[in-house]
């Protein structure tokens, strides 16, 4: 069943699911409740070996801010006294395993620990030989509103728990872009001419026949499902946004393992401390112009967005149902408006010489994250797949490349080489620049991401017929001081040139360093001179072409078009203002 069908079926079954919930107790004497009799008895929980599961109703209410009973959130049967009977059907914390990428509950003998780097502040430990050890078999921590088989949203669980009290919000959520995985599920195959191939790969669910038909290597439905589970681990349920477990703080009774936020914290958008999940992946790893920087960034330690440093939250810039009730729960406008806080600056910019540049075209620098990505044969979840993502080519591009968007405005992008191997056919498109989404879509449905189709290439000793493209996501975060005038205008003929050094640290080979140069000019957008600084030592049985097809294809990545910066019309004014922003502002070259 498709994700959208699952969501709609969940809404249609609201009455049935709601009726299955344990009823709230009428006023008067309370019925026996094993949740309370066990978990409020700290001595008994310690004797049973689970002191970390001792909690009182009063604590939960203060932390969550909600009056719901244990069983209304966790299910189970509080009328039963036995451990197995009382916990049957209960929602639990799930652990996604590296082997097979399947999820299931575990008997947590040790508490979930909270602390350390923000990106991985939630840590699961197990016991081995009587000692506390990090469980290396776990790939991700997931909450109870995920399906154990697909790792995607469990709409039935959401409806029976959160949706039982928040029916309107749940119904609106099922129609939202996030719940429907609307963007990701649009990448139906590697050769889809409408959306093109994407760095995240393809949406395997429902598209197996298309993907398998064009693969020169065996691609079974089971492996297809495995690839899909990898995608699903990033897609959200209610708890991913609103549940925010914290270390207990005697000075703040709202902090604890049952802490919830009515308005999601920005950190929730970045995985909530469970790793590089949700927007941490596409922003800090893929685009490389992430909001938080620091431990979230790749390489680590990049500067945060200027707004993050001032504690401006995601929903302060991106409109949601908090500001516009017509949007519906969990709908967030992708495009933010600088004029909300910087009205005078935006007005001044509209009168300046650079009015056709987006704000971020000047104010984003030091773009990190992926500098190359290749989909080739490898092992995913312990199983051979023709589509393993070799992504850890991490480096920093000093300034993004500027291109004109569909409306003629200049926007910043990070062009980098990509390929998927062993394809039988290319795409029925002319090589060149293409846009993921048409410009006529509203803000809720459009992105300004581009990609450059290169073509289908031979020349590899194995994994031949590689479909090549240039990924060009728009940079939208990591605002800071503006780039220099010379960074755009110093090269002749309006050429843009960025040399990027990177380190490969993925599976398949020992780490190695390398570099390439991105050239954007009148003769096209080209990626040239991709090379390693020394020999590459691939792992035993690993084909070099799987992780580094550029080693054989050399300077194949390039697309036609004019990507040059327009020539300066006022050389005298430019010379006078060069290096002096105040003079440039007075001359009307820049906003005031």
């Amino acid at each position: 069943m498709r994700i959208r069908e699952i969501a709609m079926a969940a809404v249609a079954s609201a009455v049935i699911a709601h009726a299955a919930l344990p009823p709230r107790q009428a006023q008067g004497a309370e019925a026996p409740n094993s949740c309370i009799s066990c978990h409020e008895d700290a001595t008994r929980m310690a004797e049973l070996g689970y002191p970390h599961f001792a909690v009182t109703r009063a604590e939960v209410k203060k932390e969550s801010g909600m009056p719901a009973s244990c069983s209304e959130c966790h299910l189970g049967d509080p009328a039963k006294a036995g451990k197995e009977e009382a916990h049957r059907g209960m929602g639990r914390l799930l652990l996604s395993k590296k082997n097979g990428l399947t999820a299931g509950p575990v008997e947590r003998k040790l508490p979930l620990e909270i602390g350390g780097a923000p990106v991985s502040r939630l840590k699961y430990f197990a016991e081995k030989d009587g000692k506390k050890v990090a469980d290396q078999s776990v790939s991700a921590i997931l909450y109870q509103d995920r399906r154990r088989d697909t790792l995607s949203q469990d709409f039935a669980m959401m409806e029976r728990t959160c949706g039982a009290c928040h029916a309107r919000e749940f119904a609106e959520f099922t129609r939202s872009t996030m719940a429907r995985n609307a963007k990701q599920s649009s990448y139906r195959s590697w050769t889809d001419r409408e959306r093109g191939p994407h760095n995240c790969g393809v949406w395997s669910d429902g598209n197996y026949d298309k993907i398998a038909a064009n693969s020169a290597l065996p691609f079974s439905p089971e492996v297809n499902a495995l690839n899909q589970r990898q995608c699903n681990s990033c897609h959200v349920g209610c708890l991913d946004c609103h549940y925010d477990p914290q270390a207990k703080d005697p000075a703040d009774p709202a902090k604890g393992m049952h802490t919830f936020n009515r308005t999601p914290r920005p950190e929730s958008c970045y995985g909530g401390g469970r790793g590089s999940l949700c927007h941490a992946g596409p922003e800090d790893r893929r685009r490389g112009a992430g909001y938080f920087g620091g431990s979230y960034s790749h390489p680590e330690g990049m500067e945060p967005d200027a707004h993050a440093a001032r504690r401006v939250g995601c929903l302060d810039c991106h409109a949601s149902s908090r500001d516009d009730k017509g949007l519906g729960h969990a709908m967030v406008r992708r495009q933010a408006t600088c004029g909300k806080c910087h009205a005078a600056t935006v007005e001044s910019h509209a009168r300046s010489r650079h009015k056709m540049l987006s704000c971020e075209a000047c104010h984003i620098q030091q773009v990190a994250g992926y500098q190359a990505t290749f989909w080739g044969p490898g092992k995913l979840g312990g199983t051979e797949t023709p589509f393993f993502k070799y992504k850890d080519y991490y480096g920093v591009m000093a300034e993004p490349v500027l291109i004109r968007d569909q409306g003629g405005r200049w926007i910043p992008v990070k062009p980098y080489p990509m390929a998927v191997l062993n394809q039988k056919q290319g795409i029925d498109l002319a090589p060149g620049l293409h846009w993921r989404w048409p410009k006529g879509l509203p803000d809720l449905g459009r992105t300004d991401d581009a990609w450059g189709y290169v073509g289908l290439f031979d020349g590899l000793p194995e994994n031949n017929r590689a479909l090549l493209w240039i990924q060009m996501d728009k940079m939208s975060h990591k605002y800071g001081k503006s780039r220099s005038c010379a960074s755009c205008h110093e090269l002749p003929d309006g050429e843009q040139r960025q040399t990027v050094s990177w380190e490969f640290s993925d599976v398949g080979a020992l780490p190695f360093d390398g570099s390439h140069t991105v050239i954007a000019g009148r003769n096209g957008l080209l990626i040239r001179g991709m090379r390693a600084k020394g020999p590459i030592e691939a792992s035993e049985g690993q084909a070099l072409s799987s992780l580094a097809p550029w080693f054989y294809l050399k300077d194949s990545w390039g697309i036609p078009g004019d990507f040059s910066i327009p020539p300066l019309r006022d050389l005298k004014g430019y010379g006078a203002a060069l290096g002096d922003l105040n003079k440039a502002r007075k001359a009307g070259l820049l906003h005031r």
Side-chain angles (χ1 to χ4, degrees):
M1 186 181 288
R2 304 288 184 270
I3 286 174
R4 185 177 302 185
E5 293 169 345
I6 294 170
M8 297 309 295
V11 176
S13 64
V15 175
I16 297 172
H18 191 78
L21 283 169
R24 292 180 183 272
Q25 294 299 323
Q27 288 187 355
E30 292 189 3
N33 188 319
S34 59
C35 303
I36 295 169
S37 60
C38 282
H39 289 278
E40 285 201 346
D41 188 338
T43 301
R44 183 177 183 186
M45 293 306 298
E47 290 173 350
L48 292 171
Y50 300 96
H52 45 289
F53 285 133
V55 64
T56 69
R57 287 174 292 180
E59 288 174 320
V60 172
K61 187 173 181 180
K62 287 177 181 178
E63 292 172 11
S64 68
M66 294 180 284
S69 68
C70 306
S71 57
E72 285 174 319
C73 289
H74 293 284
L75 304 182
D77 190 347
K80 299 288 175 57
K83 177 183 173 182
E84 295 299 326
E85 294 82 2
H87 290 88
R88 187 168 291 123
M90 193 180 81
R92 297 172 182 267
L93 185 85
L94 302 176
L95 299 175
S96 173
K97 296 290 188 175
K98 293 177 182 176
N99 187 18
L101 299 183
T102 55
V106 294
E107 198 162 349
R108 288 187 285 141
K109 289 289 188 180
L110 296 170
L112 195 67
E113 293 196 6
I114 302 174
V119 70
S120 56
R121 69 183 184 91
L122 300 183
K123 300 177 181 66
Y124 170 75
F125 289 93
E127 277 188 345
K128 186 176 182 180
D129 299 327
K131 296 180 180 179
K132 183 179 79 171
V133 295
D135 192 336
Q136 301 299 326
S137 69
V138 176
S139 64
I141 296 172
L142 304 174
Y143 297 134
Q144 68 178 36
D145 53 3
R146 295 298 190 93
R147 290 178 51 166
R148 301 180 187 186
D149 53 352
T150 66
L151 308 189
S152 192
Q153 301 101 325
D154 188 337
F155 289 103
M157 173 64 78
M158 289 182 214
E159 187 179 35
R160 296 183 67 200
T161 53
C162 300
C165 291
H166 306 283
R168 178 182 61 80
E169 289 84 354
F170 170 72
E172 290 178 353
F173 172 72
T174 61
R175 298 191 293 269
S176 71
T177 301
M178 283 193 281
R180 293 185 294 113
N181 302 320
K183 288 291 181 291
Q184 295 85 351
S185 60
S186 299
Y187 303 111
R188 293 181 289 270
S189 74
W190 301 106
T191 56
D192 183 76
R193 71 187 313 274
E194 185 178 14
R195 300 284 177 252
H198 195 270
N199 176 270
C200 283
V202 292
W203 193 254
S204 302
D205 183 39
N207 298 305
Y208 169 72
D209 291 340
K210 297 176 185 176
I211 300 165
N214 204 43
S215 175
L217 293 182
F219 186 54
S220 68
E222 292 75 21
V223 174
N224 181 69
L226 181 69
N227 275 89
Q228 181 62 41
R229 287 199 294 276
Q230 183 185 39
C231 296
N232 289 347
S233 62
C234 276
H235 300 298
V236 300
C238 306
L239 297 175
D240 292 301
C241 294
H242 294 285
Y243 178 48
D244 187 19
Q246 301 284 331
K248 276 192 171 295
D249 182 354
D252 187 354
K255 288 187 176 179
M257 288 304 295
H258 287 84
T259 297
F260 278 78
N261 297 314
R262 184 183 183 91
T263 299
R265 293 197 308 142
E267 289 80 1
S268 296
C269 302
Y270 261 50
R274 294 174 294 121
S276 293
L277 300 174
C278 305
H279 292 284
E283 292 298 336
D284 266 290
R285 290 200 293 186
R286 190 177 87 221
R287 297 174 191 271
Y291 196 65
F292 287 111
S295 65
Y296 288 99
S297 61
H298 303 265
E300 285 194 27
M302 301 298 295
E303 288 292 319
D305 187 291
H307 299 88
R310 290 164 176 78
R311 303 198 65 78
V312 177
C314 304
L315 299 181
D316 293 326
C317 294
H318 296 276
S320 68
S321 57
R322 185 182 68 171
D323 316 288
D324 182 353
K325 301 302 181 186
L327 286 178
H329 194 72
M331 290 297 286
V332 178
R333 290 194 186 279
R334 192 180 187 96
Q335 283 73 19
T337 304
C338 298
K340 183 177 180 180
C341 296
H342 306 284
T345 301
V346 170
E347 184 180 347
S348 171
H349 177 66
R351 298 193 303 268
S352 75
R353 189 75 58 82
H354 287 79
K355 62 184 178 182
M356 291 306 293
L357 270 72
S358 65
C359 301
E360 55 271 24
C362 284
H363 287 280
I364 291 178
Q365 300 182 72
Q366 297 294 304
V367 180
Y370 304 153
Q371 303 297 339
T373 301
F374 307 106
W375 288 86
K379 276 193 174 183
L380 178 63
T383 301
E384 296 285 347
T385 175
F387 303 124
F388 181 85
K389 184 179 182 180
Y390 296 94
K391 61 186 185 301
D392 291 3
Y393 283 85
Y394 289 129
V396 180
M397 182 180 284
E399 285 104 8
V401 169
L402 305 185
I403 66 173
R404 291 183 179 90
D405 70 7
Q406 297 175 88
R409 185 184 62 155
W410 291 85
I411 60 173
V413 297
K414 180 185 69 176
Y416 57 95
M418 287 206 61
V420 57
L421 310 179
N422 301 293
Q423 295 294 286
K424 295 177 182 177
Q425 296 178 340
I427 307 176
D428 182 22
L429 286 174
L433 182 69
H434 298 276
W435 297 91
R436 301 284 187 196
W437 301 87
K439 66 178 180 179
L441 288 179
D443 285 355
L444 285 173
R446 190 186 76 255
T447 77
D448 293 315
D449 295 339
W451 65 286
Y453 180 49
V454 180
L456 190 67
F457 283 73
D458 292 321
L460 296 169
E462 60 276 309
N463 301 313
N464 211 8
R465 298 183 70 76
L467 193 155
L468 275 54
W469 74 96
I470 298 175
Q471 187 81 9
M472 281 186 275
D473 292 323
K474 177 181 176 289
M475 305 293 106
S476 298
H477 294 108
K478 206 176 184 300
Y479 275 76
K481 292 182 179 179
S482 63
R483 60 194 290 179
S484 68
C485 302
S487 69
C488 286
H489 297 295
E490 66 180 356
L491 295 180
D493 298 323
E495 183 179 275
Q496 303 178 72
R497 182 180 289 259
Q498 294 288 331
T499 296
V500 183
S501 295
W502 39 260
E503 179 187 7
F504 177 86
S505 55
D506 217 327
V507 299
L510 293 179
F512 60 89
D513 296 334
S515 64
H516 65 260
T517 299
V518 179
I519 304 167
R522 295 179 180 177
N523 296 322
L525 195 154
L526 314 170
I527 296 173
R528 294 292 180 258
M530 194 165 189
R531 61 182 180 83
K533 292 183 179 179
I536 301 174
E537 189 173 337
S539 304
E540 184 177 355
Q542 175 76 52
L544 181 60
S545 59
S546 297
L547 59 93
W550 53 267
F551 187 84
Y552 305 98
L553 297 175
K554 304 300 181 186
D555 293 338
S556 297
W557 280 268
I559 59 172
D562 185 354
F563 294 90
S564 62
I565 300 291
L568 292 167
R569 291 181 291 171
D570 183 3
L571 290 173
K572 184 177 179 181
Y574 171 74
L578 187 62
D580 191 328
L581 293 179
N582 288 328
K583 285 184 179 180
R585 291 189 181 101
K586 288 180 181 178
L589 300 179
L590 305 174
H591 63 73
R592 292 182 179 272

